[in-house]
Amino acid sequence: MNYRHAYHAGNFADVMKHALLVTLLRLLTRKETPISVLDTHAGIGLYDLSGPEAQATREWREGIGRLLGLDPELPALSPLRDWLRIVHDVINEHDGKLFYPGSPELIARLLRPGDTLACCERHPEDQPILRRLFRRDPAVAVHARDGYEAITALLPPKTARRGLVLMDPPFEQRDEFAALSHAIITARQRFPTGVMAVWYPIKHRTPVRTFFNTLKDAGQRKLLALEFTLRPPLDPTRLNGCGLLIANPPFQLDEEAAAVLTVLRQYLGTEDTETSVQWVVPE
């Protein structure tokens, strides 16, 4: 309950997660049938990068700060274009002030008529802010509840047979990877036609390998890992990279995600930065 994402909004991990999230949603919305999205750890949805929290860490300068001066229409940025357009739109709507859209805001802007979004946020200060953000949007429901609990309570969705479950916990608990493994298995049992997207930190490799092996041993199939490491993951006290594990990914996500990660490496990385698109377990 102590974690506040405002301190980290717009950093390299956010950029990677959000650019891939938009790519994933674009693929899911190619079909006309409606989708339902569950964001289990939603945050406040919109972040003021000039505010005291973001300025305290200034992490955003090495993330979205490196991309803000670029024209989204440049051919070299085409894999990031849809996401960057939304970022620019949000800034323009706030008269040029540096407001950064989190996952609920990005998802809400990509919903079509008939699509729905359920956001879960239980932090006592963040939840009212998120509720105010979507108070006039009938397609978005905000729940003041634990995100893992919502997987049982809100799945399968009542409004669609297709959709996405986004899990992005703060990793404050030592057993967070174990909780995520259980959540993925439960979510796929309750919503077998849905896509699961799970963000995870990469400090060193052992916890990630254990996470993957737990899912393999449980018989999970169709697991795609998308990773961005700023530097070799050797120091367990630092966030050296991050990943997005996709269960039941839509067709062509692996190819489109590789293009996104290649561009991000060019603008956010160093000579030590690596990206990967790897099937942990194929179909």
Side-chain angles (χ1 to χ4, degrees):
M1 294 295 288
N2 294 323
Y3 179 84
R4 305 296 299 280
H5 189 69
Y7 288 94
H8 313 289
N11 68 3
F12 82 91
D14 251 9
V15 167
M16 179 264 201
K17 174 180 61 183
H18 293 147
L20 290 172
L21 173 62
V22 170
T23 300
L24 175 56
L25 284 167
R26 287 300 191 199
L27 290 174
L28 283 175
T29 54
R30 281 181 178 177
K31 294 182 179 179
E32 294 182 0
T33 51
I35 64 170
S36 179
V37 183
L38 170 61
D39 190 341
T40 62
H41 298 77
I44 64 174
L46 197 61
Y47 298 90
D48 181 1
L49 299 184
S50 65
E53 296 89 353
Q55 288 299 311
T57 63
R58 301 171 76 87
E59 290 182 14
W60 65 272
R61 288 184 172 272
E62 300 304 313
I64 188 58
R66 292 193 177 189
L67 298 166
L68 284 178
L70 304 176
D71 182 355
E73 307 308 318
L74 290 172
L77 293 176
S78 59
L80 307 182
R81 183 169 297 146
D82 290 339
W83 166 69
L84 273 178
R85 281 173 175 168
I86 296 174
V87 173
H88 281 244
D89 287 346
V90 166
I91 292 172
N92 290 335
E93 290 166 10
H94 288 83
D95 299 321
K97 295 180 181 178
L98 291 181
F99 278 81
Y100 181 78
S103 56
E105 179 71 8
L106 290 170
I107 296 166
R109 287 174 179 255
L110 293 171
L111 297 179
R112 308 157 301 169
D115 296 338
T116 59
L117 167 63
C119 302
C120 295
E121 179 53 56
R122 66 171 185 165
H123 194 288
E125 295 178 49
D126 289 354
Q127 191 273 335
I129 297 173
L130 183 67
R131 189 176 295 278
R132 285 196 298 270
L133 179 65
F134 294 118
R135 63 188 182 278
R136 296 188 178 93
D137 192 337
V140 181
V142 176
H143 299 264
R145 71 190 316 162
D146 177 75
Y148 291 132
E149 175 193 300
I151 289 170
T152 301
L154 301 180
L155 294 179
K158 298 179 180 179
T159 58
R161 297 186 63 184
R162 300 172 56 243
L164 170 68
V165 179
L166 175 64
M167 306 181 205
D168 179 23
F171 279 85
E172 287 186 307
Q173 307 299 322
R174 290 187 177 183
D175 64 346
E176 199 79 72
F177 273 116
L180 269 180
S181 300
H182 178 73
I184 292 168
I185 294 167
T186 302
R188 296 187 81 181
Q189 289 172 342
R190 298 187 65 84
F191 190 22
T193 57
V195 177
M196 315 295 146
V198 180
W199 183 90
Y200 57 92
I202 302 174
K203 295 183 177 181
H204 62 115
R205 282 290 173 193
T206 300
V208 177
R209 283 197 296 266
T210 302
F211 175 47
F212 291 168
N213 288 336
T214 299
L215 293 171
K216 289 180 186 179
D217 293 344
Q220 295 295 299
R221 310 291 297 176
K222 295 186 71 175
L223 300 175
L224 179 67
L226 316 173
E227 294 189 347
F228 182 96
T229 51
L230 277 177
R231 52 193 158 260
L234 303 176
D235 183 352
T237 67
R238 302 181 70 185
L239 181 64
N240 297 304
C242 60
L244 201 64
L245 182 69
I246 313 295
N248 194 28
F251 179 63
Q252 293 185 326
L253 178 63
D254 51 353
E255 299 174 10
E256 298 209 13
V260 169
L261 292 172
T262 296
V263 177
L264 291 180
R265 179 180 178 181
Q266 178 183 352
Y267 287 97
L268 303 187
T270 68
E271 60 182 12
D272 294 325
T273 299
E274 295 184 355
T275 63
S276 70
V277 175
Q278 176 185 0
W279 285 96
V280 178
V281 185
E283 185 173 1

